[in-house]
Amino acid sequence: MALSIGRTSSPAITAIGIVVALVAIIGTQYLGWEWSSGQFVPMLIGVAAAVIAVVVVLTRRG
């Protein structure tokens, strides 16, 4: 999958992004999660997504 900045992303990173988006949608729509309410699970998912994003950026920079 070509990104707008000319790089290609791996299918694994795309799959992780889709899973995180689905968890966020299901959590807010069906589980009553509020991302700024101090609940543990949404905070944990947000922190994990941020850590994964940082790792991906750092490993792609070489």
Side-chain angles (χ1 to χ4, degrees):
M1 172 184 246
L3 298 175
S4 62
I5 55 175
R7 299 183 194 169
T8 58
S9 64
S10 72
I13 299 301
T14 302
I16 290 170
I18 291 170
V19 168
V20 169
L22 287 174
V23 167
I25 292 168
I26 291 168
T28 56
Q29 295 298 314
Y30 300 106
L31 301 176
W33 292 349
E34 299 276 336
W35 296 104
S36 62
S37 67
Q39 294 177 344
F40 182 69
V41 174
M43 181 193 68
L44 184 62
I45 292 171
V47 169
V51 168
I52 290 169
V54 168
V55 168
V56 168
V57 167
L58 292 177
T59 56
R60 286 188 177 186
R61 287 185 177 224

